[in-house]
Amino acid sequence: MGIEFLEYSVERSVARMPVEGNRQPANLLHGGAYVVLGESLGSMSANLYAGAGRLAVGIDINATHTRSATSGWVTAVCTPIHLGRSLTVHEIAVEDEQGRRCSTVRITNLIKDAA
């Protein structure tokens, strides 16, 4: 999908993805691509928070799409809403190159000991 990770920390993670190559037949970036971008960023942030010996497992993903990007890149910014011992919640805002919101993805991760 061409996801590029630009910034990566527990407090804020940023990634971007090209629209080209991730389009539906209608020439729009499909909603599934937004979900994959958001899930990737949220899961990586949750695993960073979990630390060594623990693992974050995605248990709930909720996505709201407001528009489709037609060209260029979309950028996703991931921020934590809740960071707990056994659960994290991250919200990912996806915007097009004009700064218009395309999608909001919320991912909830269960934190457990690695097997």
Side-chain angles (χ1 to χ4, degrees):
M1 295 191 89
I3 298 172
E4 261 183 49
F5 296 93
L6 306 175
E7 185 180 329
Y8 182 45
S9 73
V10 172
E11 295 83 22
R12 182 175 185 264
S13 298
V14 181
R16 68 184 198 146
M17 180 178 66
V19 173
E20 188 66 38
N22 292 307
R23 298 183 202 202
Q24 301 186 114
N27 215 30
L28 303 172
L29 182 65
H30 58 83
Y34 293 133
V35 174
V36 171
L37 177 61
E39 182 180 12
S40 299
L41 201 49
S43 294
M44 287 180 71
S45 294
N47 276 306
L48 181 64
Y49 173 74
R54 305 190 78 214
L55 183 65
V57 180
I59 57 171
D60 185 54
I61 299 167
N62 187 331
T64 304
H65 306 295
T66 52
R67 74 175 66 246
S68 290
T70 57
S71 63
W73 292 76
V74 292
T75 301
V77 177
C78 174
T79 52
I81 294 173
H82 172 77
L83 297 174
R85 175 155 168 65
S86 61
L87 195 74
T88 66
V89 181
H90 288 83
E91 185 167 284
I92 300 95
V94 182
E95 296 182 346
D96 63 15
E97 287 185 333
Q98 291 74 39
R100 297 176 299 193
R101 179 77 56 105
C102 296
S103 185
T104 303
V105 180
R106 184 174 285 203
I107 180 168
T108 302
N109 290 282
L110 177 65
I111 306 292
K112 63 179 194 173
D113 292 331

